């Protein structure tokens, strides 16, 4: 079928030719969407580039891509492109560029900020057919992969050589390396090992103009501006990553996991501070509160110590002798902070048991509440106790339950705000609490997102963290690489369309100022 | 701005012979003492279309070619302040703060910025703008990996912040990456926030020399395969001297003893163990031509063998991040020929950072820069008139 049947194409009342798509809007009826027509016009060209099986135009097929992991934002993509090579990606993006049609890159669609939310009049560029591991290069301690490769598959391929890929988002079985690059994803172990940006040495990028550019490679410190560093975390707004060179890390000689139980969150927080303060650098420090423990217990019977109001999961890894010394130190510091029980696990099975409760927590909370919102704010570690107390107050005042499961070592909170989506107005009330939590984070000098990204979801919250000049500077950078605004538009930065009257990125003098009706200062 | 009780007025004076940069004397020198003053200075300079170069400690003014023009030199040394949150292992620092002051301050709290400066006497802003990392970059990364936030004054005078003061944060573009190693061509770094590490309780340096390339390669591979987790593995070679490897181990006193033994096993029984770092650790030569060389890590020893016959080669072998240094007065044709020899290899990149005065015409400093068109687009956006350190950007931009 052709996109002539596309629901929007009909609205235009005429079949636009590809050539006039960018300029014809003035002649169209006011209700027409020139971009929808432009997408329809692209279809034959896209088919020529991608082949029959590389393009989805059928609405029911396109619908399967309507959201990412944040499912309350939905939009059916204009068309779905499934390229198999960087050249195909480049050809598709060039076509979009020439016709002023937006494109949205998508990996596995696990993102939690609606960064891969499709554009109804655009091309959704899915990397799921680009999933070859091109090279495991142990001598250079790196892997070369296509963007659709699942994060964990790199570790699987490297493990026989005694190596692994360090960034480990909890979605690692499915999420793609391209998505990780776009979101600068971290994981429980980023406390010691850093985020995606610390592990990417080389990138092939298709720019918004459709040019394929190689940045960096197996060698570190490529000459010139660090464009790799700026591309990582750019959420698909600067182009498409088509090949990634990532560091491989030696599998640590020894890994020990501790589970320590406390009778208050404050005591748990004190333990976190003293562990870090004493110079121990665990690979992970995770914390759960009573509600999260209760949920995990109900779901997977993780058998955490009875009566714990807080548990810490602390992981230590490295050379055997260092780990042994640190285990003793952490046990001591937890006891000093008031822990009533600490378990230590060295074997893979015992460690998995400790992690089971933590890893199941999100899903488990889904069983004690019909729905929840996951927040991703960050606070300075020293502000953790205060912020957690305030969250408890917020929860008590609003009557909305909040479970806390989070990366305590780096202050990255993941409060789960529970609500019943069948109940009228419940989502709005939960959103309100969730927004207040973000405000708390910003008030304490933190961030609105530690790892899930801004996307659509937090674009309108950016002004809480950054001033107008900061936002305008982000936009200046974005436009330097995407002057026409076709790469994943309406994401990452606030716009009037997304945020209504909230301050957005202002590109020109505000119309009211220009007409003399308002001043700005 | 109306109603503000006091408008900051930066110190501005006439340029003196001490203020020349690459032989160019600036008409004026500004010494702003706050981000606001820096912004005011740069806004004015923008209005008047002045060419601007930044100076921190002045220790790297001979890095990069002389700017194509220079009207105003902005000296950041009054932008010196330290705001340290020991409990969060985070520090925010004014760009003009001497690196040595920052380190002394952090040491009092038992903390450190895990970065070995490559020059003595530099400022934090200068270190960030040049972006060069010393030997200890294997555990916590290069300097770029330690920056968590930055305030920059754009060439048009606008103050822009990116990142923040928390170690984990993905809100907005990481613009600090562009300024780290940007040589002041995209704006003036006003302050930087870093993540810190506790000072390790103990340190060992394990050092060995090798007459032949095969020995050095074998030792490096064995260190890589061993679980000792070094913070640095510094390789060096120079005409007429053997290859040398220096591995730095950091940790607890109990843990270090066996680790050092294992490092000795990996590097060979002739390896020696020291309890501290030699003086001048990580510092690069202060005169003579200097170049950065990036190679795939597995080819580090090969690079040392190939080029070490003609020039000093030193650097972080497991990252392939090396540098080349020649004695002052080396004929530019010789420098150019070594750079060409390196650039002829696939995936090797060589950038001449410092040339002897007057030899610029004879050497291509950059070679091919992948992504140059994108870098130019970024430069054109931030500094459309190319007033900031003109000619010092990538590819001579
Ligand atoms: C259960 C669950 C647990 C999670 N846990 C974590 C966690 O621990 N840590 C964490 O950081 N995140 C976590 N996430 C979020 C998510 O998995 C990550 O953001 C992940 O990196 C997204 O990868 P993806 O392939 O699914 O990307 P998508 O969701 O498909 O896309 C994400 C963004 O990347 C862009 N993009 C995708 N591919 C490319 C490409 N090749 N080039 C350019 N841009 C591209 C998209 O446009 C979009 O903006 C979790 C998500 C879920 C559902």
């Amino acid at each position: 079928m052709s996109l002539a049947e596309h629901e929007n194409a009909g609205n235009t009342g005429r079949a636009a030719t590809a050539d006039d798509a960018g300029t014809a809007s003035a002649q169209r009826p006011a209700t027409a969407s020139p971009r929808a027509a432009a997408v329809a016009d692209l279809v034959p060209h896209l088919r020529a580039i991608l082949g029959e099986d590389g393009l989805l135009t059928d609405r029911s097929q396109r619908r399967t891509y309507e959201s990412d992991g944040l499912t309350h934002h939905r939009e059916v993509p204009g068309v779905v492109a499934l390229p198999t090579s960087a050249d195909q990606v480049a050809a598709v993006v060039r076509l979009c560029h020439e016709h002023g049609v937006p494109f949205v890159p998508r990996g596995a669609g696990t993102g939690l900020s609606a960064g891969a939310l499709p554009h109804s009049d655009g091309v959704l560029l899915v990397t799921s057919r680009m999933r070859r591991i091109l090279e495991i290069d142990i001598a250079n301690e790196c892997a070369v992969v296509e963007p659709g490769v699942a994060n964990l598959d790199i570790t699987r391929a490297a493990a026989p050589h005694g190596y692994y890929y360090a960034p480990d988002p909890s979605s690692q079985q499915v999420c793609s390396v391209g998505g990780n690059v776009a979101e600068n994803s971290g994981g429980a172990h980023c406390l010691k090992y850093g985020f995606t940006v610390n592990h990417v040495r080389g990138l092939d990028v298709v720019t918004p103009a459709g040019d394929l550019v190689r940045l960096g490679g197996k060698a570190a410190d490529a000459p010139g501006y660090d464009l790799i560093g700026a591309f990582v975390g750019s959420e698909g707004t600067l182009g498409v990553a088509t090949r990634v060179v990532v560091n491989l890390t030696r599998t640590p000689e020894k890994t020990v996991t501790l589970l320590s139980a406390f009778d208050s969150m404050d005591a748990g927080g004190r333990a976190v501070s003293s562990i870090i303060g004493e110079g121990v650098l665990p690979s992970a420090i995770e914390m759960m509160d009573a509600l999260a423990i209760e949920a995990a217990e109900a779901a997977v019977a993780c058998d955490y110590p009875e009566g714990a109001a807080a548990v810490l999961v602390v992981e230590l890894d490295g050379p055997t002798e260092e780990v042994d010394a640190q285990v003793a130190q952490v046990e001591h510091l937890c006891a000093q902070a008031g822990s009533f029980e600490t378990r230590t696990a060295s074997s893979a099975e015992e460690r998995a048991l400790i992690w089971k409760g933590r890893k199941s927590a999100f899903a488990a909370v889904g069983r004690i509440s019909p729905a929840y919102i996951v927040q991703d704010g960050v606070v300075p570690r020293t502000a953790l106790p205060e912020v957690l107390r305030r969250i408890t107050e917020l929860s008590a005042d609003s009557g909305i339950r909040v479970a806390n499961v989070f990366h305590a070592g780096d202050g990255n909170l993941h409060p789960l705000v529970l609500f019943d989506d069948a109940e009228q107005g419940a989502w709005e009330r939960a959103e309100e609490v969730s927004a207040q939590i973000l405000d708390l984070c910003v008030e304490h000098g933190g961030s609105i997102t530690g790892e899930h990204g801004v996307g659509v979801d937090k674009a309108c919250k950016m002004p809480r963290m950054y001033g107008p000049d900061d936002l305008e500077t982000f936009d200046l950078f974005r436009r330097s690489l995407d002057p026409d605004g076709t790469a994943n538009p309406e994401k990452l930065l606030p716009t009037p369309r997304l945020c209504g009257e909230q301050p957005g990125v202002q590109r020109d003098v505000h119309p009211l100022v220009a007409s003399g009706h308002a001043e700005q200062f | 701005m109306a109603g503000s009780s006091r408008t900051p007025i930066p110190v501005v004076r006439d340029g003196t012979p001490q203020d020349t940069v690459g032989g160019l004397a600036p008409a004026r020198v500004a010494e702003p003492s706050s981000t606001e003053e820096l912004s005011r200075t740069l806004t004015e300079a923008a209005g008047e279309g002045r060419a601007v170069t930044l100076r921190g400690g002045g220790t790297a003014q001979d890095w990069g070619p002389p700017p194509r023009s220079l009207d105003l030199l902005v000296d950041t040394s009054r932008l010196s302040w330290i705001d340290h949150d020991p409990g969060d292992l985070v520090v925010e620092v004014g760009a003009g703060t001497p690196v040595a002051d920052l380190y002394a301050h952090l040491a009092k709290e038992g903390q450190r910025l895990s970065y070995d400066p490559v020059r003595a006497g530099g400022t934090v802003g200068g270190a960030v703008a040049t972006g060069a990392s010393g030997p200890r970059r294997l555990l916590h990364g290069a300097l770029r990996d330690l920056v968590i936030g930055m305030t920059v004054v754009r060439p048009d005078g606008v103050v822009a912040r990116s990142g923040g003061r928390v170690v984990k944060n993905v809100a907005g573009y990481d613009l600090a990456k562009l300024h780290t190693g940007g040589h002041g061509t995209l704006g003036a770094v006003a302050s930087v926030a870093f993540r810190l590490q506790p000072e390790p309780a103990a340190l060992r340096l394990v050092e060995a020399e090798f007459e032949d390339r095969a020995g050095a390669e074998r030792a490096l591979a064995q260190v890589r395969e061993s679980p000792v987790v070094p913070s640095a593995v510094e390789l060096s070679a120079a005409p007429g001297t053997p290859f040398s490897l220096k591995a730095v181990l950091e940790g607890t006193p109990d843990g270090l003893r066996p680790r050092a033994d294992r490092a000795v096993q990996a590097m060979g029984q002739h390896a020696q163990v020291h309890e501290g770092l030699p003086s001048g650790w990580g510092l690069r030569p202060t005169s003579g031509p200097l170049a950065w060389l990036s190679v795939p890590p597995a080819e580090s020893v090969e690079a040392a063998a190939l080029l070490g016959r003609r020039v000093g080669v030193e650097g972080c072998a497991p990252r392939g991040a090396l540098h080349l240094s020649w004695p002052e007065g080396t004929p530019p044709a010789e420098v150019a020929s070594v750079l060409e020899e390196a650039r002829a290899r696939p995936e090797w990149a060589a950038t001449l950072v410092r040339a002897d005065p007057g030899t610029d015409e004879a050497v291509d400093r950059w070679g091919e820069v992948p992504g140059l068109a994108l870098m130019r687009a970024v430069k054109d956006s931030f500094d459309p008139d190319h007033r900031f350190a003109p000619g010092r950007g990538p590819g001579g931009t």
Side-chain angles (χ1 to χ4, degrees):
Chain A
M1 65 165 277
S2 92
L3 255 214
E5 294 148 57
H6 184 284
E7 60 280 5
N8 290 323
N11 291 340
T12 65
R14 63 186 277 272
T17 63
D19 292 330
D20 69 2
T23 53
S25 54
Q27 296 138 36
R28 290 172 203 279
T31 52
S33 159
R35 280 180 154 181
V39 164
D41 295 336
L42 291 193
V43 167
H45 302 285
L46 289 170
R47 190 158 283 136
I49 296 166
L50 299 160
E52 274 311 314
D53 58 349
L55 191 69
L56 305 179
T57 54
D58 182 71
R59 186 175 156 84
S60 62
Q61 287 183 312
R62 285 184 282 125
R63 262 200 71 170
T64 54
Y65 293 92
E66 67 181 355
S67 74
D68 63 7
L70 194 64
T71 51
H72 62 266
H73 292 281
R74 287 164 204 256
E75 189 91 59
V76 178
V79 293
V80 177
L82 300 164
T84 53
S85 69
D87 287 340
Q88 287 189 355
V89 174
V92 170
V93 172
R94 201 172 311 124
L95 200 63
C96 289
H97 172 67
E98 284 162 5
H99 295 263
V101 169
F103 66 91
V104 177
R106 176 181 163 117
T110 67
L112 290 175
S113 52
L117 181 72
H119 203 291
S120 58
D121 300 331
V123 177
L124 187 72
L125 242 164
V126 187
T127 61
S128 56
R129 296 207 299 172
M130 298 176 69
R131 46 191 315 146
R132 284 178 304 163
I133 294 181
L134 302 171
E135 226 182 306
I136 295 287
D137 180 349
I138 294 302
N140 282 306
E141 302 190 293
C142 67
V144 184
V145 302
E146 291 187 329
V149 168
N151 172 300
L152 190 59
D153 284 348
I154 304 179
T155 288
R156 289 204 179 107
H161 307 277
Y163 279 81
Y164 75 113
Y165 177 52
D168 61 340
S170 350
S171 49
Q172 68 179 153
Q173 298 218 17
V174 267
C175 68
S176 73
V177 176
N180 294 171
V181 165
E183 300 286 6
N184 188 19
S185 297
H189 296 85
C190 62
L191 178 61
K192 178 169 177 182
Y193 292 102
F195 318 97
T196 303
V197 70
N198 309 116
H199 297 270
V200 175
R201 258 190 250 174
L203 274 183
D204 283 10
V205 171
V206 170
T207 68
D211 298 324
L212 181 58
V213 179
R214 176 157 297 177
L215 305 171
K218 289 181 180 176
D221 297 358
Y225 300 140
D226 182 6
L227 291 178
I228 295 177
F231 188 91
V232 175
S234 65
E235 304 194 5
T237 64
L238 303 178
V240 188
T242 56
R243 177 179 171 273
V244 190
V245 185
V246 296
N247 288 344
L248 295 176
T249 305
R250 275 282 287 170
T251 310
E253 187 181 24
K254 182 164 186 178
T255 305
V256 174
T257 310
L258 294 96
L259 178 79
S260 195
F262 300 83
D263 52 19
S264 73
M265 289 289 276
D266 267 10
R270 274 202 304 275
V272 174
S273 289
S274 61
I275 291 169
I276 304 275
E278 286 296 310
V280 184
L281 183 55
S283 53
I285 307 184
E286 303 284 303
M287 191 160 171
M288 292 165 71
D289 72 2
L291 189 53
I293 299 169
E294 177 198 319
E297 208 63 70
V300 298
C302 50
D303 193 27
Y304 282 0
E306 185 96 30
V311 295
L312 284 185
V313 175
V314 183
E315 193 148 281
L316 298 159
D317 69 15
T320 304
E321 304 83 2
E322 294 289 354
V323 173
D324 290 345
Q326 292 183 340
V327 168
Q329 204 177 354
V330 169
E331 283 171 338
H332 171 72
L333 293 170
C334 285
Q336 226 175 25
S339 163
F340 63 84
E341 184 177 340
T342 297
R343 300 175 190 165
T344 304
S346 304
S347 76
E349 300 76 47
E350 286 173 325
R351 290 180 38 233
L353 215 58
I354 291 184
W355 275 107
K356 190 166 146 193
R358 165 63 184 94
K359 287 191 171 170
S360 73
F362 282 23
V365 166
R367 291 168 49 138
I368 62 164
S369 172
Y372 60 85
I373 297 169
V374 186
Q375 259 314 349
D376 180 38
V378 185
V379 296
R381 195 172 31 239
T382 48
L384 268 179
E386 157 77 6
V387 170
L388 290 170
R389 270 196 298 275
R390 296 278 298 276
I391 293 178
T392 311
E393 282 164 25
L394 267 178
S395 167
D397 293 349
S398 62
I400 289 175
R401 291 192 297 167
V402 179
N404 285 296
V405 187
F406 59 97
H407 310 303
D410 42 29
N412 186 191
L413 300 170
H414 282 322
L416 304 166
V417 184
L418 314 191
F419 69 99
D420 181 354
D421 48 354
E423 191 188 312
Q424 182 96 22
W427 180 74
E428 287 78 4
R429 287 200 302 279
E431 267 290 319
E432 181 60 32
V433 169
S434 156
Q436 286 171 338
I437 294 176
L438 277 195
D439 283 344
L440 268 179
C441 293
V442 175
E443 264 169 46
H444 285 82
S447 167
I448 56 173
T449 173
E451 56 185 21
H452 295 166
V454 176
V456 173
D457 190 49
K458 291 182 214 81
C460 303
K461 303 208 164 80
M462 287 287 275
R464 298 187 192 195
M465 196 172 152
Y466 295 109
D469 287 344
D470 306 332
L471 294 172
E472 197 257 341
T473 305
F474 287 142
D475 193 46
L476 185 66
F477 173 58
R478 180 182 196 155
R479 279 180 292 144
S480 73
L481 299 180
D482 180 23
D484 304 327
T486 48
N488 211 3
E490 305 284 326
K491 310 277 170 69
L492 202 145
L493 293 174
T495 65
R497 197 180 87 98
L498 272 179
C499 313
E501 287 306 302
Q502 287 193 35
V505 169
Q506 211 170 298
R507 287 171 194 269
D508 296 302
V509 177
H510 193 280
L512 288 177
V513 176
S515 63
H517 286 92
E519 280 184 332
Q520 206 165 30
F521 46 86
Chain B
M1 274 298 165
S4 142
S5 55
R6 197 181 66 94
T7 316
I9 302 176
V11 173
V12 182
R13 56 173 176 80
D14 288 340
T16 70
Q18 280 81 51
D19 299 317
T20 55
V21 179
L24 264 76
R28 304 284 280 165
V29 178
E31 297 177 359
S33 53
S34 67
T35 303
E36 294 72 38
E37 289 188 7
L38 177 59
S39 164
R40 207 180 121 103
T41 304
L42 296 183
T43 306
E44 267 177 34
E48 294 159 0
R50 303 213 184 280
V52 176
T53 290
L54 275 295
R55 176 175 71 189
T59 59
Q61 281 306 346
D62 54 0
W63 288 24
R68 244 175 248 135
S69 58
L70 173 59
D71 305 314
L72 176 72
L73 182 73
V74 177
D75 182 310
T76 62
S77 52
R78 289 170 191 250
L79 291 168
S80 180
W81 49 268
I82 298 172
D83 181 4
H84 183 199
D85 287 336
D88 291 318
L89 287 158
V90 165
V91 72
E92 191 170 352
V93 201
T97 311
V99 174
D101 290 7
L102 173 63
Y103 284 17
H105 181 100
L106 298 175
K108 279 187 277 179
E109 301 281 351
Q111 298 185 358
R112 72 168 190 206
L113 177 63
S114 299
Y115 154 76
D116 287 323
V118 296
R119 299 185 309 273
T123 60
V124 169
V128 167
T130 50
S133 295
R136 276 181 291 178
R137 56 180 287 177
L138 295 178
L139 288 191
H140 305 293
L143 185 59
R144 67 172 310 250
D145 298 298
L146 303 170
V147 175
I148 58 172
M150 194 180 276
T151 300
V152 170
V153 182
R154 288 178 356 196
D156 61 3
V158 170
V159 179
R161 191 172 60 88
S162 62
R165 286 176 62 135
V166 282
V167 295
K168 202 170 178 186
N169 171 21
V170 294
Y173 297 112
D174 191 354
L175 298 182
K177 292 282 187 296
L178 298 174
H179 297 285
T180 306
H183 291 270
T185 56
L186 297 175
V189 176
S191 66
V192 190
F194 296 102
R195 63 187 307 174
L196 304 171
Q197 270 81 35
E199 187 72 59
L203 176 151
R204 295 287 181 280
L205 177 78
V206 186
E207 183 180 19
E209 291 191 339
F210 306 89
E211 286 307 326
D212 63 342
R213 172 179 157 180
E217 258 165 359
R218 195 164 44 243
L220 252 182
Q222 284 168 1
V223 169
R224 199 183 68 221
E225 282 156 22
S226 80
V228 296
V229 195
S231 337
V233 179
E234 187 78 342
L235 164 72
S236 58
T241 65
F243 297 94
S244 131
L245 279 180
K246 297 188 185 74
V248 177
L249 312 178
E250 296 174 313
T252 59
D254 288 349
L256 273 179
R257 222 165 296 120
R259 280 169 73 198
D261 289 346
R262 288 202 272 176
V264 169
Q265 273 166 31
M267 289 167 62
Q269 286 313 323
H270 63 301
Q272 298 193 347
V273 182
H274 310 276
E275 297 208 349
L277 297 172
S279 71
W281 170 250
L283 299 180
R284 305 313 185 203
T286 52
S287 67
L290 184 67
W292 300 152
L293 174 68
S294 293
V295 305
E299 292 162 43
S300 287
V301 178
E302 188 177 343
L306 185 73
L307 306 177
R309 292 187 298 242
R310 302 173 67 180
V311 59
V313 184
E314 206 168 350
C316 181
R319 291 288 176 268
L322 309 173
H323 78 263
L324 310 175
S325 53
W326 291 264
E328 212 171 335
T330 304
E334 167 62 12
V335 174
S337 140
V338 170
L339 295 176
E340 274 158 31
E341 185 174 3
R343 289 172 188 157
R345 304 292 301 255
E347 292 221 46
W348 289 23
T351 314
L352 186 65
V353 181
R354 180 175 57 216
D356 282 338
T359 64
D360 241 276
E361 300 296 299
V363 194
D364 171 9
R365 284 178 175 259
W366 288 90
E368 195 203 333
V369 179
L372 185 59
L374 300 183
M375 295 176 195
R376 290 217 161 108
V378 172
K379 170 75 175 173
D380 290 344
S381 274
F382 281 93
D383 183 18
D385 305 323
H386 289 214
R387 289 183 298 107
F388 268 55
R392 288 190 156 185
T397 302

